[in-house]
Amino acid sequence: MANFFPRWMNTLPLKVAVCLGALGTGVVGAVTYYATPKYGKVGYMPAQPVPFSHKLHAGQLGMDCRYCHSHVENSWHSNVPTTETCWNCHQHVKKESPRLEPVRRSIDKTYENYDGKPIEWVQVHKLADYAYFDHSAHVNRGVSCVSCHGKVNEMTEVYHAETHSMGWCLECHRAPEENLRPLDQVTNLDWKPEDLDREKFYGDLLAKGAEPDTILSALGIEGAVATDASGLATAAANVFGDKATQKEVGPVLKTLWNVNPPENCAGCHR
Amino acid sequence: MKRTWQHPEEPASPATLTPEGGETPAGKHYWRSLSELAETRENIDARDSEFHGSPGKSEESESSRRDFMKLMGASTALAGGLAACRKPTLLLVPYSESVEWIIPGKALLYATAMPRLGGCTPLVVTTHEGRPTHVSGNRLHPEVGNGNDGIAQSSILDLYDPERSRNVLNKGERSSQADFSAAFAEIAAGIKKSNGEGSAFLVGETSSPTRDRLLKEVATKFPQAVFYRYESINRDAVRKGLSDATDGKTDVSIVPRFEKAKRILSLDCDFLGLDSPSTNATNAFSKNRKVDDGGAAKMNRLYVVEASYTVTGGMADHRLPTNASQVATIAAALGKTFGLSVESTTKLDEKTTKWVAATAKDLQAHKGEALVVAGSQQPAAVHAMVAAINDKLGAFGKTADLLNRGNDPVPFGTLGELAEAIGEKKVKTLFLTTEADPAYDAPGDIDFARFLGEVETTIQLSTRSLSATARAATWHVPAAHYLESWGDVRSAEGVYSIVQPMILPLYDGLTEIDFLLKLMADPAPATDPAEGETVVSDSEATPGYEAVRATFAEIAEGDIEKAWNATLRDGFLKGSSYKASNAKIALPSGKGGFPAPTLDAMEIAFRPDFKIWDGRYINNGWAQEAPDPTTSLTWDNAALLSIRTAKALGIENNGQMLKVEVAGKTAYYPAMLAPGHADNSLTIPFGYGQGEDAGFIGSDRGFNAHPVRTFASPYLTMGAKVSVLTADEIIDGEKVIPANYDLATTAEHNNMYGRALVREGTVDAFEKKPDFAKKQGMDAHIPENVSFYKSVDQDDKPLLSDPHHQWGMTIDLNQCIGCTACLLACQSENNIPIVGKEQVMQHREMHWIRMDRYFATAEPKLDKKTQDAGANHEWTEMSADHFENPEMTFQPVACQQCESAPCETVCPVNATVHTEDGLNSMAYNRCIGTRYCANNCPYKARRFNYFDYNKRPIDELYRGPFSTKEKTGVAETHKLQKNPNVTVRMRGVMEKCTYCVQRIQEGKIEQKRIARDSDKLRVATGAVRTACQDVCSADAITFGNLLDDKDPLVKMKASPRNYDLLNYIGTLPRTSYLARIKNPNAEIVALTGKAIGEISSHIH
């Protein structure tokens, strides 16, 4: 009986398997990288019709986010400002700048190219249509802008900082304490828990009617006794160190404010 | 092996068992259709197959080679496109200048009113960034509290109808605004010159003070002009009758006060349905149907005399099926018992006489608390008699008000007089501003289309250009929808409302007010061509707005600006009701009556259609697809007739074609078997049959009732010869009348096999045993439900995941009148598509709420054994007596939000899961369409998108991507109506009610916004209302939070009448029902030998 198959064919299955394996790994790797929000969304930085710098306005000038995004606390949609909002200042400041040409075109009735049409900003953050995100539910309950949008006050041009994938949403919905902060700091993008004045923080909570024992148990401190703000601050300092951390602030706020983000489908999908 | 739930066998003869409560149960049987009653083989097969029908009859079953190539080409292009796919650039476009009140993303509500015949429907309109998307009732309105009706609900779709009139037509051909303006200026100048001689106005019936004021001005300016008023459904007879009874006064109107009436007799008056301008009657009536808290004794009692079943008849405690022509005879007989004598040419039979006597006795016994109402389709003599009876009953000032609504602004002639004037060549220019379509809907003996042709110039203002009148008129001008108009209107009792626009006119329509102003305006000063500049007025106020304000200034008192703003905000002007009238009622002498109809000379009663009114809503898909409450018919009209008459004529099935011959005219109508209908009588709803050019939705729908109507007696034709077609008939040499016409009824869809779903009792039974409803049907046999799951954790803390909210609902069958407004409100709120007649016939309608209409009769005498052996029974084996006067009950069924939901366990992809607050939620984006959930739903509450109903025109569903996009079924304008807070579902996705989860989420988030840094997360009591609850004028639906002690829902759930559907299968539904209670008159029960509302069958 003749040898139908040459000897090199003995290793062929192995070679094929190795090649297919490599190919498979490559495909899986490529898909996990390229077909996920990390690749598709993070870093997306489209050019805007007006090169508006958040770094200048929100960072250097220290304007509050809500000056322009005025309805963020009232609506699911955080509105992009009307041209009128820009014009409030810019009719006095840098009115003639060529970079503001689209603004003048839209609002300045004395401008020769005035057409009254709105400015068409390019959308950076976009959720799928079947996901119903609500800004007001978040910013009113101690979730800062920075948690989802990154440090916009340091961005010259706004880019997509986080993945905004469903898994990413759920991470926080399962452990909201990692992103809670006092309400007056929600639009302060530079806030760090270390900046916290403990006595004032606990004093405010107690003034709102919180029980010291509740706070202590939220902090997970056993055995300590505290009746006022300074007592609480001391107890917390004993456990968490001199500076406050998110591990201290988050659980307290979560317990006192009763923060229980929905984890079922109907929370975001209808 | 497939395991199936074995519903326990129900004992064959329940009457032999004695219930614990000591009641003797009457063997009562509930059924939705004749074939269900008879359990025909066909019906059993249909209900046993979970998904009905064949794979579907396709209008294009074979795809051609060309199609295949196209498809291949398309997929190749798609593949190529994907490879080069980049993130699409999306734009955010804010306003240039901030807009008053608008917060992007938040709905904005405005109060307005929808003008209706004899009044208005006050509304609150939801708008999203300037798009009206949903209407609900104005709860502040003093007259019409809660809810509204289906016609008001579907009117929002009319706003976005792409085929609404959008162009000026000249002799039926498209013309331009400029041409019309030129012609109009000439016409107006001509009229001015001749002082209006030769000009006539045909206006509609509306109670707009501004319109009336302008008509008066027109009459002053053009003294020779003549005015006529026309609507095919009008209140002429009501006015005439009242005028006759008040010695010729023409400014009187009667407003019934149902909330004060303990005994009500309706003489063919569908006051809970179409015979009220708004839902105020339902509101008021249902206040006295609440029976908990010892209310049973105070409950009102309703007697209804009518020919064909209406929703009012369905609510009746006693209903007498009577020929429409004999209602006058009954009124006369009733009057006689009050000493009011009118000569009547016909006699009543003995049974009816006794019925009337017993009713009269009951009314007499409740003087000052009794009320008699007559239907506006009844002749004037009936209205005069009813006014006199009410006077004798001491009703005025108590259960009814005599109000002074003021005289008509100008004397109006009738359509008949107009036709006469045209015939005498007295009319040269005719202005038609009536929304009716006289060229189509004038009675058959006035060929109005011909008369229109004889007038030199006719100018019609209408929202519909696809109408016979628009085609026949010299000029047709687009009118504005009421949601785009400035206007005003008075309700039935005179409460003044402003009609304010929600959106600029989509198609540049004019309002009637604009039109009249334009006619009276001085010719515009010719612009100097040298300058060539158009002058733009600084004031943005339109002439219509100015006119309404001018009227308002006359009506309101005090600070006009303040009152105007308050009226705009609240939707009505305080203290603007009509003043009481000092008219005295005196019965005019006269005689009347029609001979009783016979099988050879039948009567035909014409009624407005529940779906499309007089036909003006024929191109409205929501209206067309909403099943008629009593017949369940969609997309068509039909001639209703009684079972006895049907048997006599040899009719066995719905849709058999009837040939109707009367006074030399012949017409054809499909028959519809209507249990409870009067004998020798046809009822034909009109508005249908507008021909093949009535729009995408309205073309070739139904049958025209107008040819067999007469002007003298517009709603009743006597002496009709009716026969059944045995074979297709060809008329005029070409048109084929089929012997059988397909009618799409939904009565048999989503059959739940009976099983004591509807439960009812009498006041007596309720007082004796309040919880009679708890143990009926199978529920009488089962032990207490035991759950294997613990309800508490190891620390005895309840295992409720959301400690603030657990949602629930009750539906009070004692309040529900079955009007289907909830179904339409749900459609509007939840972006539910229509599917078309062919798909409805395949049981694929998408309404999340199914309005089950049950007839109740005695247990049928059919041998069940032979049935099981496969013998095919037909309902025709039963005696016609069986169907003479069945009772009717309604039960709306939507998803029951089971705590232990069978659908959730079978979903392979977790697309339907339970939420912490007790909803059975749907994640549409997850659904892959296995339909297992629908298969496992015992309530048949799930709906499947067999096609891309939101994307494809309904006549080309089977063509998929090859459907022609330019078809109007998927018009761009329809997209404007969609609720942005609800996903628009695509093909292959299951959908169902989720208690308006978008409203719940909005409520919860709003509460979070308020709570901020506190822990008060429970939404305020009553802050979340579902769309169906909001629209329900009968207050039948209570939705709320089971954990909130203050919530009315908690009280409703604690009612002894509360019961769950299919309790014994242990699904623990969150929606429960409250049993219906009837309040029968013992004397009439003895008379008919029938226990109305006796505790229903299978009580043990």
Side-chain angles (χ1 to χ4, degrees):
Chain A
M1 194 102 165
N3 248 349
F4 284 111
F5 298 101
R7 178 166 287 277
W8 62 265
M9 289 201 83
N10 289 349
T11 54
L12 189 64
L14 187 67
K15 285 176 184 161
V16 169
V18 168
C19 286
L20 280 182
L23 190 69
T25 316
V27 168
V28 170
V31 167
T32 38
Y33 184 68
Y34 291 109
T36 52
K38 242 182 203 134
Y39 176 79
K41 283 183 171 176
V42 174
Y44 177 58
M45 186 168 71
Q48 300 289 355
V50 180
F52 175 85
S53 166
H54 278 85
K55 188 176 177 182
L56 174 67
H57 291 82
Q60 278 171 254
L61 299 175
M63 286 167 68
D64 193 280
C65 307
R66 289 165 298 184
Y67 181 77
C68 299
H69 305 288
S70 49
H71 297 305
V72 67
E73 288 177 316
N74 298 314
S75 172
W76 67 265
H77 176 66
S78 171
N79 61 309
V80 176
T82 60
T83 327
E84 217 176 356
T85 311
C86 311
W87 201 237
N88 283 347
C89 301
H90 280 290
Q91 58 180 320
H92 308 297
V93 186
K94 293 218 170 196
K95 188 177 168 184
E96 305 297 329
S97 165
R99 303 170 108 194
L100 286 171
E101 205 272 341
V103 174
R104 296 191 68 191
R105 188 189 278 271
S106 169
I107 192 87
D108 184 2
K109 288 190 176 128
T110 62
Y111 182 52
E112 54 187 352
N113 290 331
Y114 168 74
D115 63 4
K117 286 190 181 140
I119 301 171
E120 295 184 337
W121 300 94
V122 181
Q123 189 169 16
V124 180
H125 302 93
K126 169 84 177 90
L127 285 188
D129 285 339
Y130 49 77
Y132 291 83
F133 174 82
D134 193 306
H135 277 91
S136 69
H138 292 81
V139 294
N140 281 308
R141 300 281 284 163
V143 179
S144 170
C145 316
V146 75
S147 299
C148 305
H149 296 294
K151 290 219 158 188
V152 178
N153 59 338
E154 291 171 9
M155 297 178 189
T156 312
E157 276 187 80
V158 172
Y159 57 86
H160 212 300
E162 300 283 345
T163 66
H164 289 198
S165 66
M166 182 165 151
W168 175 87
C169 290
L170 278 171
E171 261 174 39
C172 180
H173 271 227
R174 288 182 180 134
E177 59 274 11
E178 287 169 23
N179 287 291
L180 296 180
R181 57 174 69 181
L183 287 185
D184 53 358
Q185 301 299 335
V186 163
T187 54
N188 176 4
L189 306 190
D190 290 324
W191 183 84
K192 289 190 285 295
E194 292 83 56
D195 304 341
L196 197 73
D197 174 355
R198 271 204 180 112
E199 269 202 55
K200 186 178 174 302
F201 175 66
Y202 289 114
D204 288 349
L205 293 178
L206 293 176
K208 279 260 169 191
E211 293 293 326
D213 289 349
T214 322
I215 296 175
L216 282 176
S217 77
L219 287 168
I221 301 174
E222 284 173 20
V225 180
T227 52
D228 56 2
S230 64
L232 284 168
T234 320
N238 289 340
V239 178
F240 296 97
D242 287 345
K243 295 272 179 196
T245 61
Q246 188 62 34
K247 283 205 163 52
E248 175 186 346
V249 178
V252 172
L253 296 182
K254 179 181 186 298
T255 311
L256 292 182
W257 295 353
N258 207 347
V259 178
N260 269 313
E263 284 171 52
N264 63 67
C265 305
C268 308
H269 306 294
R270 326 159 170 164
Chain B
M1 200 186 95
K2 187 185 168 194
R3 288 189 60 202
T4 51
W5 170 266
Q6 299 298 329
H7 293 266
E9 192 67 30
E10 294 189 3
S13 175
T16 55
L17 294 168
T18 315
E20 290 163 45
E23 281 290 326
T24 311
K28 202 158 143 188
H29 191 75
Y30 291 84
W31 42 276
R32 298 203 297 182
S33 71
L34 292 167
S35 50
E36 181 185 325
L37 172 69
E39 300 201 345
T40 59
R41 178 54 49 200
E42 212 179 6
N43 185 270
I44 292 171
D45 288 347
R47 80 177 183 201
D48 286 353
S49 63
E50 199 67 46
F51 297 105
H52 177 265
S54 56
K57 77 168 190 216
S58 142
E59 67 252 25
E60 184 130 330
S61 53
E62 279 183 49
S63 51
S64 63
R65 188 191 62 88
R66 187 177 282 263
D67 278 349
F68 176 74
M69 292 308 287
K70 271 202 257 178
L71 187 63
M72 288 310 291
S75 16
T76 315
L78 194 65
L82 264 181
C85 165
R86 294 293 309 156
K87 188 184 173 74
T89 304
L90 298 162
L91 300 176
L92 282 169
V93 187
Y95 295 101
S96 300
E97 291 175 52
S98 304
V99 183
E100 186 185 35
W101 301 118
I102 284 190
I103 296 177
K106 280 256 184 183
L108 193 53
L109 310 184
Y110 287 105
T112 187
M114 178 185 183
R116 301 286 288 270
L117 180 74
C120 68
T121 308
L123 297 174
V124 173
V125 184
T126 307
T127 65
H128 288 277
E129 284 95 39
R131 297 177 291 120
T133 59
H134 185 74
V135 299
S136 35
N138 182 354
R139 277 184 273 158
L140 294 180
H141 198 276
E143 181 185 347
V144 190
N146 220 359
N148 50 42
D149 64 351
I151 286 177
Q153 280 300 319
S154 47
S155 70
I156 199 149
L157 194 66
D158 273 337
L159 170 68
Y160 296 114
D161 182 357
E163 290 174 304
R164 193 153 61 87
S165 174
R166 53 205 305 176
N167 294 305
V168 173
L169 300 182
N170 183 4
K171 300 196 177 77
E173 299 295 320
R174 190 170 160 175
S175 179
S176 69
Q177 280 283 358
D179 285 354
F180 169 69
S181 295
F184 191 72
E186 206 171 291
I187 293 163
I191 292 175
K192 191 171 259 178
K193 215 188 245 167
S194 65
N195 272 340
E197 200 184 339
S199 67
F201 290 80
L202 186 64
V203 302
E205 223 181 304
T206 153
S207 49
S208 161
T210 303
R211 203 276 308 254
D212 287 356
R213 182 174 66 82
L214 293 177
L215 279 185
K216 234 185 240 170
E217 276 182 30
V218 170
T220 331
K221 205 155 187 182
F222 313 126
Q224 303 290 320
V226 198
F227 298 89
Y228 302 92
R229 178 166 57 192
Y230 173 71
E231 298 266 353
S232 58
I233 300 164
N234 56 50
R235 294 174 67 78
D236 287 348
V238 182
R239 275 190 295 267
K240 172 86 170 42
L242 203 52
S243 165
D244 289 350
T246 52
D247 200 20
K249 273 188 187 288
T250 51
D251 56 1
V252 187
S253 74
I254 293 183
V255 174
R257 301 278 177 204
F258 291 101
E259 70 273 21
K260 293 179 187 156
K262 293 278 177 257
R263 296 291 180 268
I264 301 160
L265 168 64
S266 154
L267 294 174
D268 199 17
C269 178
D270 185 14
F271 64 90
L272 296 175
L274 293 172
D275 223 345
S276 286
S278 57
T279 44
N280 53 338
T282 316
N283 264 241
F285 174 80
S286 49
K287 279 192 186 115
N288 284 331
R289 299 297 283 191
K290 302 208 183 219
V291 292
D292 294 323
D293 294 337
K298 288 181 274 169
M299 197 170 147
N300 62 17
R301 180 177 294 156
L302 174 64
Y303 300 92
V304 174
V305 176
E306 62 182 6
S308 75
Y309 244 124
T310 61
V311 291
T312 311
M315 285 309 280
D317 297 300
H318 290 289
R319 177 178 177 272
L320 181 69
T322 308
N323 291 124
S325 58
Q326 299 310 302
V327 171
T329 318
I330 288 186
L334 189 71
K336 204 171 264 176
T337 63
F338 290 91
L340 299 160
S341 180
V342 168
E343 241 180 276
S344 183
T345 48
T346 38
K347 291 262 172 297
L348 295 173
D349 63 40
E350 198 195 329
K351 208 169 113 189
T352 312
T353 312
K354 279 187 180 160
W355 194 97
V356 172
T359 307
K361 196 173 144 197
D362 196 17
L363 293 174
Q364 293 267 25
H366 288 84
K367 273 198 175 162
E369 290 182 321
L371 174 67
V372 184
V373 286
S376 46
Q377 273 84 44
Q378 285 295 329
V382 175
H383 290 276
M385 177 55 96
V386 164
I389 293 173
N390 276 329
D391 193 38
K392 292 275 176 198
L393 281 170
F396 294 116
K398 285 175 179 146
T399 56
D401 284 341
L402 263 185
L403 299 178
N404 184 344
R405 65 173 168 80
N407 274 311
D408 290 337
V410 288
F412 289 119
T414 63
L415 190 73
E417 286 161 4
L418 174 62
E420 212 170 280
I422 294 175
E424 291 166 13
K425 304 280 176 208
K426 283 186 191 157
V427 181
K428 287 202 184 64
T429 316
L430 177 62
F431 300 94
L432 300 107
T433 57
T434 175
E435 196 47 39
D437 181 8
Y440 149 77
D441 61 19
D445 55 355
I446 300 179
D447 186 359
F448 199 75
R450 186 174 62 80
F451 284 111
L452 269 184
E454 287 177 15
V455 182
E456 218 169 273
T457 319
T458 47
I459 303 170
Q460 188 217 17
L461 177 77
S462 170
T463 56
R464 295 179 58 221
S465 56
L466 296 168
S467 69
T469 312
R471 280 189 286 274
T474 325
W475 291 99
H476 161 82
V477 189
H481 190 264
Y482 77 94
L483 289 169
E484 322 169 308
S485 311
W486 277 109
D488 53 7
V489 71
R490 279 184 186 275
S491 70
E493 63 169 78
V495 180
Y496 178 89
S497 290
I498 297 169
V499 178
Q500 62 172 324
M502 303 295 139
I503 188 168
L504 275 174
L506 287 170
Y507 309 134
D508 291 334
L510 290 177
T511 63
E512 192 178 4
I513 293 170
D514 294 334
F515 186 80
L516 293 174
L517 286 169
K518 206 170 166 177
L519 185 67
M520 286 190 292
D522 292 320
T527 45
D528 192 0
E531 287 188 26
E533 251 181 63
T534 46
V535 185
V536 180
S537 161
D538 265 355
S539 158
E540 285 177 32
T542 61
Y545 170 83
E546 298 288 1
V548 175
R549 276 209 68 145
T551 316
F552 184 80
E554 286 172 19
I555 293 170
E557 287 155 10
D559 185 345
I560 299 296
E561 182 68 29
K562 214 168 141 191
W564 171 264
N565 285 332
T567 308
L568 279 184
R569 183 195 61 208
D570 300 343
F572 64 93
L573 176 65
K574 278 202 184 84
S576 55
S577 308
Y578 296 133
K579 302 285 174 281
S581 166
N582 55 3
K584 293 273 168 293
I585 304 275
L587 190 67
S589 61
K591 62 177 185 179
F594 297 95
T598 62
L599 196 59
D600 302 320
M602 286 175 42
E603 64 163 28
I604 310 176
F606 301 97
R607 292 291 177 267
D609 188 87
F610 207 92
K611 306 187 282 294
I612 62 167
W613 186 238
D614 64 354
R616 69 184 60 171
Y617 307 117
I618 196 164
N619 206 30
N620 186 319
W622 292 355
Q624 292 272 16
E625 200 157 294
D628 181 281
T630 51
T631 61
S632 305
L633 183 61
T634 63
W635 291 95
D636 274 303
N637 67 342
L640 315 185
L641 73 174
S642 78
I643 305 297
R644 187 173 289 122
T645 310
K647 280 192 164 183
L649 290 171
I651 296 168
E652 293 189 355
N653 296 309
N654 286 336
Q656 271 178 272
M657 197 60 84
L658 299 175
K659 183 176 188 174
V660 175
E661 291 159 289
V662 57
K665 297 227 162 65
T666 309
Y668 300 84
Y669 305 100
M672 179 99 204
L673 299 156
H677 199 284
D679 293 333
N680 302 331
S681 169
L682 295 183
T683 298
I684 306 178
F686 60 56
Y688 275 100
Q690 298 194 18
E692 56 191 19
D693 206 6
F696 179 61
I697 299 289
S699 292
D700 293 323
R701 300 276 171 221
F703 298 84
N704 190 349
H706 302 296
V708 290
R709 290 169 63 218
T710 58
F711 181 69
S713 167
Y715 307 113
L716 185 69
T717 294
M718 300 297 293
K721 190 172 167 296
V722 178
S723 54
V724 184
L725 288 197
T726 45
D728 293 359
E729 201 164 292
I730 296 169
I731 52 167
D732 301 340
E734 46 173 327
K735 204 172 157 201
V736 180
I737 305 289
N740 279 294
Y741 180 81
D742 286 336
L743 291 173
T745 60
T746 61
E748 293 180 22
H749 298 184
N750 297 303
N751 190 322
M752 279 169 66
Y753 297 73
R755 290 176 182 147
L757 302 170
V758 180
R759 298 181 183 178
E760 56 181 339
T762 59
V763 169
D764 283 350
F766 176 63
E767 305 243 289
K768 261 185 242 158
K769 192 170 184 294
D771 61 345
F772 69 91
K774 299 249 187 230
K775 299 260 178 204
Q776 285 190 23
M778 251 23 266
D779 294 351
H781 305 277
I782 50 154
E784 201 64 16
N785 258 325
V786 181
S787 174
F788 291 124
Y789 298 100
K790 285 183 187 160
S791 58
V792 290
D793 65 5
Q794 59 266 49
D795 302 327
D796 276 347
K797 281 194 188 143
L799 278 170
L800 272 179
S801 38
D802 187 336
H804 306 292
H805 312 107
Q806 293 297 327
W807 307 108
M809 183 183 273
T810 57
I811 298 174
D812 192 342
L813 299 182
N814 204 33
Q815 308 282 112
C816 176
I817 60 168
C819 67
T820 67
C822 50
L823 177 155
L824 280 158
C826 177
Q827 186 153 31
S828 158
E829 169 73 19
N830 290 305
N831 299 337
I832 299 173
I834 56 158
V835 301
K837 182 180 169 185
E838 280 67 35
Q839 295 288 306
V840 171
M841 281 166 40
Q842 304 218 34
H843 298 216
R844 288 174 181 175
E845 68 274 12
M846 297 296 290
H847 300 128
W848 289 358
I849 301 175
R850 168 179 98 231
M851 184 58 76
D852 284 347
R853 183 267 293 117
Y854 289 94
F855 286 116
T857 50
E859 195 77 37
K861 294 185 181 62
L862 276 178
D863 188 352
K864 289 219 171 190
K865 293 250 166 60
T866 53
Q867 177 72 62
D868 293 340
N872 194 0
H873 278 291
E874 292 297 342
W875 64 270
T876 40
E877 293 165 32
M878 277 178 246
S879 153
D881 297 345
H882 193 78
F883 306 101
E884 194 173 74
N885 192 12
E887 292 164 47
M888 190 192 278
T889 325
F890 290 99
Q891 183 171 44
V893 181
C895 173
Q896 306 282 305
Q897 314 291 346
C898 311
E899 284 177 14
S900 153
C903 52
E904 288 169 9
T905 51
V906 293
C907 180
V909 292
N910 270 355
T912 182
V913 291
H914 226 68
T915 68
E916 289 99 339
D917 47 0
L919 300 180
N920 175 242
S921 72
M922 275 301 304
Y924 296 122
N925 42 311
R926 265 197 160 179
C927 178
I928 57 167
T930 62
R931 293 186 280 159
Y932 294 167
C933 53
N935 218 322
N936 221 26
C937 174
Y939 303 101
K940 310 258 178 102
R942 287 175 165 267
R943 304 286 177 266
F944 186 65
N945 285 277
Y946 283 90
F947 292 99
D948 258 334
Y949 298 118
N950 276 308
K951 222 161 145 191
R952 314 273 177 229
I954 50 169
D955 60 341
E956 293 188 358
L957 293 170
Y958 290 90
R959 290 176 60 84
F962 302 118
S963 64
T964 40
K965 285 259 174 70
E966 64 272 18
K967 271 297 191 60
T968 49
V970 286
E972 282 298 312
T973 46
H974 279 161
K975 295 181 186 165
L976 293 175
Q977 184 279 325
K978 299 281 186 240
N979 183 350
N981 295 325
V982 180
T983 307
V984 175
R985 283 81 54 185
M986 61 182 285
R987 179 179 189 168
V989 172
M990 189 62 78
E991 59 184 67
K992 66 163 192 77
C993 159
T994 46
Y995 279 164
C996 286
V997 64
Q998 67 281 3
R999 293 186 176 207
I1000 293 178
Q1001 294 296 357
E1002 199 185 327
K1004 281 162 79 167
I1005 290 171
E1006 179 66 14
Q1007 186 55 39
K1008 281 182 188 162
R1009 201 176 70 74
I1010 297 166
R1012 287 180 60 87
D1013 55 355
S1014 78
D1015 61 352
K1016 298 189 175 44
L1017 294 186
R1018 178 173 292 172
V1019 300
T1021 309
V1024 180
R1025 287 168 68 86
T1026 62
C1028 53
Q1029 175 192 27
D1030 222 22
V1031 79
C1032 185
S1033 49
D1035 202 15
I1037 300 175
T1038 311
F1039 169 82
N1041 182 359
L1042 292 166
L1043 299 179
D1044 182 354
D1045 295 335
K1046 291 190 302 252
D1047 202 306
L1049 176 74
V1050 175
K1051 211 176 115 196
M1052 299 302 275
K1053 287 271 181 192
S1055 163
R1057 296 183 293 132
N1058 185 43
Y1059 71 94
D1060 293 341
L1061 279 199
L1062 306 184
N1063 180 33
Y1064 62 94
I1065 59 175
T1067 50
L1068 305 175
R1070 277 284 170 91
T1071 301
S1072 57
Y1073 292 81
L1074 271 62
R1076 185 172 172 182
I1077 306 291
K1078 281 194 171 179
N1079 185 11
N1081 179 348
E1083 206 170 320
I1084 295 185
V1085 172
L1087 191 69
T1088 52
K1090 198 166 81 163
I1092 292 232
E1094 191 84 6
I1095 287 182
S1096 48
S1097 60
H1098 310 314
I1099 179 167
H1100 313 298

